[in-house]
Amino acid sequence: MSCPLPHEFFARPSPVVAADLVGKIIWRHGIGGGRLVEVEAYLPNGDEACHAAQGKTARNAMMFGPPGSLYVYVSYGVHHLLNLVCEEEGIPSAVLIRAFQPWKADLNLRRMRGDDNGDMPVRDIASGPGRAGQALGLDLTWNGQSLGRESGLIVADDGQRSAVQRTARIGISKADDLLLRYIAPGSEFLSRSPRWGENVAPPPVAPDRRR
DNA sequence: TAAACGATTAGCT
DNA sequence: GCTAATCGTTTAT
């Protein structure tokens, strides 16, 4: 049993949303999905790695949309990377979906990844932002759509708790000192190192802090 | 109008 | 470990 996250969930700062997204279920109706194990937050201010750092452009316009919007863009001319837009409309921040653990019935995900023979290791199906986007069958027509029944893409909470660790973001050349990559520590389905234990820091908010 | 640049991945050495 | 592939967008001329 699981319930889709309300859009209010995304109307918060992206680091908070990112930390809460680890362990949640991402699912495309009719295709499939799995449990999020790796995401990255991008900030509206003071984040040179954010696509909106130089202001609004044709590409990043959807980052300014309402919370729960999808920002999809093409990376290296090959891959479609999925972001979930955070904060209220007009504030450009988002969470990049970098990896998820495929759900048991992963046949559709395999087909989307071009694995018709079914011999791709499960850990290779969605362990990376490009792989995750391809597994979900996303392209530029998804840019600007919104999470929910209409689009067919949802993020849900199935009640299962997940530990969260914070590390430096991957694949960027600017602002790589910010620890805004959130992972399920020890997961086999992360995109790449640090899989666990390296360069990690506690979550921004301690889960059970007492005075 | 031209050139450069990736929030990457697969395949090969 | 190294690099080609590949193209929408941004930035420079």
Side-chain angles (χ1 to χ4, degrees):
Chain A
M1 191 194 309
S2 65
C3 41
L5 301 176
H7 282 191
E8 294 80 62
F9 178 93
F10 298 95
R12 301 179 292 160
S14 56
V16 179
V17 174
D20 283 353
L21 277 175
V22 174
K24 300 295 189 291
I25 304 296
I26 188 167
W27 198 266
R28 179 177 169 189
H29 182 71
I31 300 292
R35 191 177 305 279
L36 293 171
V37 297
E38 179 180 350
V39 300
E40 283 180 358
Y42 287 85
L43 311 177
N45 300 110
D47 182 2
E48 282 300 308
C50 179
H51 280 179
Q54 312 304 327
K56 198 172 188 175
T57 67
R59 176 177 69 162
N60 67 31
M62 297 311 174
M63 285 189 79
F64 292 76
S69 299
L70 309 183
Y71 167 47
V72 178
Y73 78 98
V74 181
S75 175
Y76 289 91
V78 185
H79 305 104
H80 292 89
L81 273 53
L82 169 65
N83 293 261
L84 307 180
V85 175
C86 301
E87 300 269 20
E88 297 297 341
E89 190 163 7
I91 302 178
S93 74
V95 173
L96 170 70
I97 302 303
R98 285 194 58 93
F100 63 85
Q101 177 176 355
W103 198 251
K104 292 178 183 175
D106 59 310
L107 291 179
N108 292 321
L109 300 179
R110 287 179 179 280
R111 288 198 192 93
M112 287 296 186
R113 292 274 289 121
D115 177 38
D116 295 328
N117 299 327
D119 51 9
M120 176 182 286
V122 182
R123 60 164 42 165
D124 288 350
I125 293 177
S127 55
R131 292 171 169 180
Q134 185 183 32
L136 293 172
L138 303 181
D139 56 35
L140 281 185
T141 66
W142 287 79
N143 187 36
Q145 295 201 50
S146 187
L147 286 174
R149 205 162 209 187
E150 188 174 354
S151 70
L153 186 68
I154 62 163
V155 177
D157 184 352
D158 69 347
Q160 194 163 126
R161 292 275 188 168
S162 175
V164 182
Q165 276 185 340
R166 190 163 58 112
T167 81
R169 293 177 294 186
I170 287 180
I172 56 175
S173 55
K174 301 171 183 172
D176 56 358
D177 57 320
L178 301 178
L179 302 180
L180 294 174
R181 173 176 176 254
Y182 296 82
I183 63 174
S187 171
E188 300 175 43
F189 302 92
L190 299 177
S191 60
R192 52 176 155 126
S193 68
R195 291 189 182 276
W196 55 277
E198 312 164 42
N199 304 321
V200 297
V205 179
D208 192 27
R209 186 190 297 172
R210 305 234 170 98
R211 273 196 305 116

